[in-house]
Amino acid sequence: MNPEYVRHKPGTRVTATMVAKHAGVSVATVSLVVNDKFRGRVSPANVAKVRESIAELGYVVDRVASSLSKGSSDLIILIAPDISNPYFAGVIAGIKEVLADRYQLLLSVTDGGELPRAQEIKASLEFRPSALLIFAPNESFVLDVRGHAPMVLIDAPGMEHVAPTINIGIDSSAHLLRNHLMELGHRSFGYLDSVTGSRTFTLRREALMGELIASGGREPSPTDVQSVVEVDAACQAFLTAWPQWDAEGVTCVICATDIQAYGVIKGARELGLRIPEDLSVASFDNLSYSSISSPALTSVELPSIDLGRAAATHALALIEGDEVAVTHQVFAGELYVRESTGRPSR
Amino acid sequence: MNPEYVRHKPGTRVTATMVAKHAGVSVATVSLVVNDKFRGRVSPANVAKVRESIAELGYVVDRVASSLSKGSSDLIILIAPDISNPYFAGVIAGIKEVLADRYQLLLSVTDGGELPRAQEIKASLEFRPSALLIFAPNESFVLDVRGHAPMVLIDAPGMEHVAPTINIGIDSSAHLLRNHLMELGHRSFGYLDSVTGSRTFTLRREALMGELIASGGREPSPTDVQSVVEVDAACQAFLTAWPQWDAEGVTCVICATDIQAYGVIKGARELGLRIPEDLSVASFDNLSYSSISSPALTSVELPSIDLGRAAATHALALIEGDEVAVTHQVFAGELYVRESTGRPSR
DNA sequence: CTGTTAGCGCATTCAA
DNA sequence: TTGAATGCGCTAACAG
């Protein structure tokens, strides 16, 4: 009961026909004006009249009808598994930078910890997007969807044969981290994985643990420790796993993401463990918070903005129909050594 | 030159007509089946045939045409100023929880630090959304837009007369923080604001500084210290302001957001300032990282998930056309006192 | 139960 | 330079 509100009045919508009538021209003329295609096609007088009428009536183009007519919406859809990870902010920033005003970016966010499902992708396809950017898919369902719209995969190692892919240099990152940890003298490693078994995460684990074990390290049980990408969930997972890990001599815990590493730090604090004296912690992402956490976190940078930029650039090329020479790009990250890793004291 | 790719082939799109022909039925029947309205209207045999054809041909509904025909898209648009603030993740989670599968959530993200502009909102309107959720607007342009679609404002203090609004209890939050800081003995306060002069931020500052000054505190120059909501930007802003603040006896810096407080912590660390002995830091948001920062951050919780839930619930009610009794909700937050605030040593 | 038909609002022919 | 006509693919009302 707030009479002062201007409530939504269905049926009140202003159409091009109404504008045309108001301006004394035809719909075609209105269309030309709103689409900025009137040069040399519409008289200045009519352009002015149409613009006045648009302003006066408060007309906005119906993009739905427009898209139907044109056969495609100027929409690029990003399907991402878990926007709660601040890592995405960087990716999104990179994408938006490239798209500018040419395309609207639509985010289709799956639920926490879930992978993009076929359903999500189908639903996105319904919008007739100009292109699809899919983050960290792991299933072959992407195959079903090919051919419907230009598609670029982001952080999808092992799927380069399916569609153009922008990847993170997991192997080189893992290598950097391994060198660092082995040099410090660690030999027994716990690993906190992400629950979204997407390929990028299994690969982070495999690449790193593979290297560590090949160098003489070992991974004690439990080996299936995982959580969603949230501080508290990761903390819980760590607290549950720690007694066994501790018994088996773990001196270093590596996490799939920085956020989870924060959870481990939190858990370690609760247990009274000193970092890095009693336990070293390292992870992937290098979020900007990692330099001010307590202790500051040793982390491998995964260049988010670059990923976004490259994916968007690639998508634009596909839309334009250009033959794209490079269909697989990899961005390598750097290792940032901070306070959370040190020599094991035992 | 990757021949194995299935490239996007324009014109290949499968339509309901093709499905109908393939299944030996009419388009109307296909429509009924895909929209789950076939009970008692289509024979089981035909339902099966249609479903088979859909699977075989890989048909997906054209939501654009569907929306045009129905007169409305099942789309709810969230216009947000700065998705890089992890605070949004909570809001989005709350919204998605309520919308479930009934509506698609479209995020229209403005550029870093920018407010939702009229342009953004106009562009969103073009999609014929079922509802609009607008985060932290500050301009009266919202007035121009009223009546086009159901609209709910989030974190928009002072705009309750424009549209239904879901707010944070800034006053009570400021009050809690003031009590805490005055009790500790602080009297001279620096304030690091957000650049997006949206009403929620100016209010955070006014409410808090107003109370502090009324209680005998003071705000030294510079008073216009602000940054975007990013760690490094905030760090820079702090480093620039600090010499003067220091000279004028500032013992406590308050930030508009946790992220910015992390920047202050980072800057203080660079300067060799001990927190809280030399400087206390507090802020608004209470992100989950604030409990593991170094030092852990004293912060006022602003309940993000509740905001999202309430906004979505309200939007659904507006869409259904229900007369909504409560058009203005406020969610109060709690104060979390941690290590970053203490008695001033001078 | 099923098919036919008439728009939805716009962009784009094609004539004038 | 302009306007009338056609169709984008689908849904809803209707007639069968």
Side-chain angles (χ1 to χ4, degrees):
Chain A
M1 305 304 153
N2 281 262
E4 75 266 37
Y5 286 170
V6 177
R7 297 188 68 89
H8 172 54
K9 311 176 276 299
T12 295
R13 203 178 170 88
V14 180
T15 72
T17 312
M18 297 166 67
V19 175
K21 193 174 299 167
H22 185 102
V25 299
S26 74
V27 264
T29 306
V30 175
S31 176
L32 288 174
V33 171
V34 295
N35 288 304
D36 230 51
K37 292 183 178 171
F38 56 87
R39 260 159 307 241
R41 320 255 291 99
V42 181
S43 65
N46 273 350
V47 173
K49 272 196 284 184
V50 169
R51 290 204 165 129
E52 269 172 38
S53 300
I54 288 177
E56 199 163 323
L57 299 178
Y59 169 70
V60 293
V61 183
D62 188 328
R63 201 171 177 125
V64 173
S66 170
S67 297
L68 178 60
S69 183
K70 284 194 290 204
S72 152
S73 62
D74 293 340
L75 201 60
I76 289 187
I77 302 187
L78 170 64
I79 302 175
D82 191 2
I83 204 174
S84 66
N85 188 347
Y87 185 75
F88 278 110
V91 177
I92 291 170
I95 294 172
K96 283 191 64 80
E97 183 189 311
V98 172
L99 298 187
D101 286 334
R102 315 211 302 118
Y103 293 89
Q104 265 274 339
L105 179 65
L106 165 55
L107 300 191
S108 171
V109 183
T110 67
D111 290 327
E114 307 235 318
L115 286 168
R117 297 163 298 175
Q119 184 193 336
E120 237 91 34
I121 301 191
K122 284 267 169 66
S124 297
L125 243 24
E126 292 182 4
F127 284 103
R128 284 191 165 229
S130 294
L132 233 44
L133 309 178
I134 310 180
F135 204 104
N138 76 333
E139 301 289 339
S140 55
F141 65 74
V142 179
L143 293 170
D144 304 338
V145 158
R146 293 184 308 173
H148 282 278
M151 180 162 57
V152 177
L153 309 181
I154 308 176
D155 196 11
M159 304 197 66
E160 300 82 358
H161 59 288
V162 173
T165 305
I166 315 293
N167 273 340
I168 291 165
I170 301 279
D171 284 334
S172 68
S173 301
H175 199 72
L176 293 171
L177 198 47
R178 172 206 136 229
N179 285 350
H180 172 62
L181 296 175
M182 294 304 288
E183 272 173 22
L184 286 175
H186 292 278
R187 291 298 177 268
S188 187
F189 302 89
Y191 193 93
L192 174 53
D193 208 342
S194 158
V195 288
T196 69
S198 80
R199 187 80 189 110
T200 182
F201 288 124
T202 55
L203 200 65
R204 288 178 198 191
R205 179 197 192 113
E206 284 167 10
L208 182 62
M209 296 311 288
E211 285 227 19
L212 286 171
I213 289 166
S215 321
R218 60 187 208 83
E219 181 178 20
S221 61
T223 55
D224 59 342
V225 183
Q226 46 184 233
S227 78
V228 295
V229 182
E230 279 168 21
V231 173
D232 290 326
C235 177
Q236 271 312 312
F238 168 73
L239 290 176
T240 306
W242 180 245
Q244 275 221 42
W245 277 350
D246 187 27
E248 299 191 33
V250 167
T251 58
C252 177
V253 171
I254 302 147
C255 302
T257 66
D258 278 12
I259 299 290
Q260 290 167 287
Y262 302 157
V264 171
I265 290 175
K266 187 175 181 180
R269 189 181 289 187
E270 284 180 22
L271 295 174
L273 294 170
R274 293 164 306 162
I275 298 176
E277 293 83 355
D278 302 325
L279 181 68
S280 284
V281 180
S283 55
F284 294 90
D285 272 356
N286 192 39
L287 300 181
S288 57
Y289 322 130
S290 294
S291 62
I292 56 103
S293 64
S294 169
L297 189 63
T298 293
S299 182
V300 184
E301 174 195 24
L302 305 180
S304 58
I305 297 193
D306 292 330
L307 283 192
R309 279 199 200 104
T313 304
H314 209 116
L316 290 183
L318 288 176
I319 292 170
E320 308 295 344
D322 298 356
E323 271 305 320
V324 184
V326 182
T327 54
H328 182 207
Q329 289 179 65
V330 177
F331 291 89
E334 279 179 63
L335 174 67
Y336 287 79
V337 176
R338 301 201 182 85
E339 307 157 1
S340 68
T341 47
R343 299 200 164 279
S345 61
R346 61 177 185 185
Chain B
M1 307 306 148
N2 281 260
E4 75 266 36
Y5 286 170
V6 177
R7 297 189 67 89
H8 172 56
K9 311 175 276 297
T12 296
R13 204 181 167 83
V14 180
T15 71
T17 311
M18 297 164 68
V19 175
K21 195 173 299 169
H22 186 102
V25 300
S26 74
V27 265
T29 305
V30 175
S31 176
L32 288 174
V33 172
V34 295
N35 288 302
D36 230 51
K37 292 182 178 173
F38 56 86
R39 260 160 306 240
R41 322 255 289 99
V42 181
S43 67
N46 274 350
V47 173
K49 273 195 285 183
V50 169
R51 290 207 166 127
E52 270 172 37
S53 301
I54 288 177
E56 201 163 322
L57 299 178
Y59 170 70
V60 293
V61 185
D62 188 329
R63 201 168 176 127
V64 173
S66 167
S67 296
L68 179 61
S69 182
K70 284 195 288 203
S72 151
S73 63
D74 293 342
L75 200 60
I76 290 187
I77 302 187
L78 170 63
I79 301 175
D82 191 3
I83 205 175
S84 67
N85 188 346
Y87 185 75
F88 277 110
V91 177
I92 291 170
I95 294 172
K96 284 190 64 81
E97 183 188 313
V98 172
L99 298 188
D101 286 333
R102 314 215 299 118
Y103 292 89
Q104 265 273 343
L105 179 64
L106 166 55
L107 299 192
S108 171
V109 183
T110 67
D111 291 326
E114 307 234 320
L115 287 168
R117 296 164 298 175
Q119 184 193 335
E120 237 92 33
I121 300 190
K122 283 267 170 65
S124 298
L125 243 23
E126 293 183 3
F127 284 104
R128 283 193 167 228
S130 294
L132 234 44
L133 309 178
I134 309 179
F135 204 104
N138 76 332
E139 302 289 339
S140 54
F141 65 73
V142 179
L143 294 170
D144 303 339
V145 158
R146 293 183 308 173
H148 282 279
M151 182 163 53
V152 177
L153 309 181
I154 308 176
D155 197 11
M159 305 198 65
E160 300 83 358
H161 59 289
V162 173
T165 305
I166 315 293
N167 274 339
I168 292 165
I170 301 279
D171 284 335
S172 67
S173 300
H175 198 74
L176 292 170
L177 198 46
R178 174 207 134 226
N179 286 351
H180 172 62
L181 296 175
M182 294 303 287
E183 271 172 23
L184 286 175
H186 293 278
R187 293 297 178 268
S188 187
F189 302 90
Y191 192 93
L192 174 53
D193 208 341
S194 157
V195 289
T196 68
S198 80
R199 188 80 191 110
T200 181
F201 288 123
T202 55
L203 201 65
R204 287 178 198 192
R205 179 196 192 112
E206 283 168 10
L208 182 62
M209 296 312 288
E211 285 227 19
L212 286 171
I213 289 166
S215 320
R218 61 187 205 85
E219 181 178 21
S221 62
T223 55
D224 59 344
V225 184
Q226 46 184 231
S227 78
V228 295
V229 182
E230 281 169 21
V231 174
D232 290 326
C235 177
Q236 271 312 314
F238 169 72
L239 290 176
T240 305
W242 180 245
Q244 275 221 42
W245 277 350
D246 187 28
E248 298 191 32
V250 166
T251 57
C252 176
V253 171
I254 303 149
C255 301
T257 66
D258 277 13
I259 298 290
Q260 290 167 287
Y262 301 158
V264 171
I265 289 175
K266 187 175 181 181
R269 189 181 288 187
E270 285 182 21
L271 295 174
L273 294 171
R274 293 164 305 163
I275 298 177
E277 293 82 355
D278 302 324
L279 181 68
S280 285
V281 180
S283 55
F284 294 90
D285 271 357
N286 193 40
L287 300 180
S288 57
Y289 323 129
S290 294
S291 61
I292 57 102
S293 63
S294 169
L297 189 64
T298 293
S299 182
V300 184
E301 174 194 24
L302 304 180
S304 58
I305 296 193
D306 291 330
L307 282 193
R309 281 201 200 104
T313 304
H314 210 115
L316 290 184
L318 288 176
I319 292 170
E320 308 296 344
D322 298 357
E323 272 306 320
V324 184
V326 183
T327 54
H328 181 208
Q329 289 180 66
V330 177
F331 291 89
E334 278 179 66
L335 174 67
Y336 288 79
V337 176
R338 302 201 181 86
E339 306 156 2
S340 68
T341 47
R343 299 202 165 276
S345 61
R346 60 179 184 182

